[in-house]
Amino acid sequence: MAEKCSEGLLNGAVPGETAKRDENLKRGNWGNQIEFVLTSVGYAVGLGNVWRFPYLCYRNGGGAFMFPYFIMLVFCGIPLFFMELSFGQFASQGCLGVWRISPMFKGVGYGMMVVSSYIGIYYNVVICIAFYYFFSSMTRVLPWTYCGNYWNTPDCAGVLDVTNGSAGSSLNFTQLFNQTAKRTSPSEEYWRRYVLKLSDDIGNLGEVRLPLLGCLGVSWVVVFLCLIKGVKSSGKVVYFTATFPYVVLTILFVRGITLEGAVSGIMYYLTPQWDKILDAKVWGDAASQIFYSLGCAWGGLITMASYNKFHNNCYRDSIIISITNCATSVYAGFVIFSILGFMANHLGVDVSKVADHGPGLAFVAYPEALTLLPISPLWSVLFFFMLILLGLGTQFCLLETLVTAIVDEIGNEWIIRRKTFVTLGVAVVGFLLGVPLTTQAGIYWLLLMDNYAASFSLVVISCIMCVSLMYIYGHRNYFKDIEMMLGFPPPIFFQICWRFISPVIIFFILVFTVIQYRPISYNTYVYPTWAISIGFLMALSSVICIPIYAVFCVLRSEGDTLMQRLKNATRPSREWGPALMEHRKGRYAPVLSSSAESQLEVQLLNPEKPKSDEAGVAVAITVGTNGSTHSQDSKI
């Protein structure tokens, strides 16, 4: 008896529920709840935790930034995370299928797909660059350690050249600092002149960098193989990809804090500047970082939760995953700034001189700092292996979001049996669309997509989702759905956040994003107007799905007047509700007409009728209270 209970809890069942291998035989479920939690942690914890949060923290008041950061986590991050998990789990559908709740807003699901497509394309290019550095680190001396290579310029001044090199090199380095000119490090020249062979303009694509193209192929092959059987295969892979980055972070942290100058770097990272608490920009950065780092409105949370068992406690999961994500960001800051503090101490400069964010931190500043460590190739291999795993954890969910949406939307047995081929097709298309990002102007396009494709559009999508669930479908209906699923209604705090606080914070993020907008640039390169226009078009391409589909849905709806059509378009469809008949209770319970009941009684009294046939007839004639016939049983 104890074994059955423990097995039920392991598989995400509530106490008293009979444990099963798969509830939903058609779509499948996670092998156990640990797989779902690890996958969601891998999805939420990504490259941004390593290269964006530490930078935001020291730029916005150090330790003082933690206060608005955790305030936004409590009032916006965790509630939105719980909303998306509960939404996908209740319907057991991807980001398109869940909008049976209000068909007019299905454009929100298409917008999520567009956003996930953009992110999936450029995210795998970042992973491929990490693969390139990972392979390049497998050498006795890191290739970006010294100047004097054919790709270096006369202005190159390496850290180790200063310490152990010639007097000429030392003089050159000293002159650069005395003249307050920014030195050109060997790691920066390796990045710009060797890895990227960076062109002078975003329109000048130049040649495809074949090493990067090969690494891009490797990264897509790895993603495809890990998703070849959907959540059944990816759920096993995340045992490694979601946990090993913490092992690497811990190894690098232990090594970092033992270095001279590490404490000054950590103090620079954490020292609070309380005067910045009153700055609206600090609160805006905190809200934006929470929102974007948790992966809200990407569609991935809905998709991952759709493979949960119906009674899984997603309320508990949302708190665990959200706090783990934010704790990882803080922990990564210690790792990054302990090494940067050591480097600043070695150079005799302020930490701000060596601190950076984005690709500049991951592929220039931190790799250069690693060259100062004994056995530097080992630390470099570990660091870039960690980046690869962090990226893959997010990429798995992005690809699965697209595949699940396609398969659920078509929904027939033929496409379900061939889901592997759908995954392969999406991977091949993603690889081909990523090829331009491996050209000499690829980094310009990558940053353009990163800044525009998943910026304010995510905020708009999330805001519309909140409004449609709380005010169109109705908060009372949604709370009852959660109570039917979890056995208890959402806590009062979450009810208030969903209805009032979270939408206000989301609107604040949107306003802040607009006010803070600055034209994108990369170092000294300023993007031309036509490139920025393309960026805005990418951002609008996901948002425009919402009104276009809404108009299309209203035009298709029944009704003589516009108001009748709007009501019909926003009313839940007949298929809305739990996916399995065994969970359709309460207002979703099937009802029988009087003629059907009499027919059923005659059939049940027939001793020669097999039970399977009786069940088939019963299911075939059951119609939900909202007029729905359960789709997966209608063929019986």
Side-chain angles (χ1 to χ4, degrees), residues 233-438:
S233 56
S234 66
K236 303 299 183 290
V237 175
V238 293
Y239 281 106
F240 179 73
T241 60
T243 57
F244 194 73
Y246 292 96
V247 176
V248 177
L249 278 174
T250 303
I251 293 172
L252 293 174
F253 174 68
V254 172
R255 184 67 186 100
I257 60 175
T258 59
L259 298 171
E260 186 179 358
V263 174
S264 63
I266 292 175
M267 292 303 295
Y268 186 83
Y269 165 55
L270 289 180
T271 301
Q273 302 171 33
W274 294 111
D275 57 307
K276 291 195 174 184
I277 285 290
L278 301 177
D279 189 350
K281 183 177 180 299
V282 174
W283 288 84
D285 276 343
S288 299
Q289 177 63 13
I290 283 290
F291 183 83
Y292 294 125
S293 68
L294 287 176
C296 297
W298 291 15
L301 298 178
I302 294 175
T303 302
M304 294 303 104
S306 71
Y307 292 101
N308 277 333
K309 294 190 175 182
F310 184 73
H311 290 302
N312 169 63
N313 191 345
C314 57
Y315 166 66
R316 169 201 62 202
D317 295 341
S318 62
I319 295 177
I320 292 173
I321 298 165
S322 301
I323 292 177
T324 301
N325 173 70
C326 297
T328 303
S329 297
V330 177
Y331 187 36
F334 284 95
V335 176
I336 297 297
F337 274 89
S338 62
I339 300 290
L340 295 182
F342 164 65
M343 183 178 179
N345 179 75
H346 184 86
L347 295 174
V349 298
D350 191 69
V351 179
S352 61
K353 299 291 184 181
V354 295
D356 203 345
H357 70 104
L361 172 65
F363 300 118
V364 178
Y366 202 82
E368 183 181 17
L370 293 176
T371 61
L372 299 172
L373 300 178
I375 326 175
S376 55
L378 170 63
W379 309 114
S380 184
V381 165
L382 286 175
F383 176 72
F384 288 109
F385 188 52
M386 177 190 70
L387 289 187
I388 291 169
L389 294 181
L390 288 174
L392 288 176
T394 303
Q395 190 68 14
F396 290 159
C397 296
L398 290 170
L399 188 63
E400 185 62 40
T401 297
L402 299 175
V403 173
T404 297
I406 294 170
V407 172
D408 284 351
E409 185 67 9
I410 298 174
N412 56 43
E413 295 294 332
W414 185 88
I415 197 74
I416 291 173
R417 290 197 189 99
R418 291 162 178 79
K419 185 177 178 180
T420 300
F421 294 101
V422 178
T423 306
L424 177 61
V426 173
V428 170
V429 172
F431 168 76
L432 295 176
L433 292 176
V435 170
L437 302 185
T438 62

Side-chain angles (χ1 to χ4, degrees), residues 498-565:
W498 287 347
R499 294 183 62 194
F500 308 111
I501 300 177
S502 295
V504 170
I505 293 177
I506 294 172
F507 183 74
F508 166 69
I509 297 173
L510 180 61
V511 173
F512 169 77
T513 303
V514 173
I515 293 175
Q516 198 192 28
Y517 171 75
R518 297 289 183 276
I520 183 176
S521 61
Y522 177 56
N523 294 335
T524 58
Y525 176 75
V526 179
Y527 280 69
T529 304
W530 65 266
I532 294 176
S533 301
I534 292 176
F536 276 112
L537 288 177
M538 283 192 290
L540 290 173
S541 63
S542 55
V543 176
I544 201 68
C545 295
I546 302 172
I548 288 177
Y549 191 87
V551 171
F552 171 72
C553 186
V554 169
L555 293 176
R556 289 184 58 193
S557 299
E558 297 178 355
D560 298 327
T561 64
L562 178 61
M563 188 58 64
Q564 289 177 346
R565 289 175 178 268

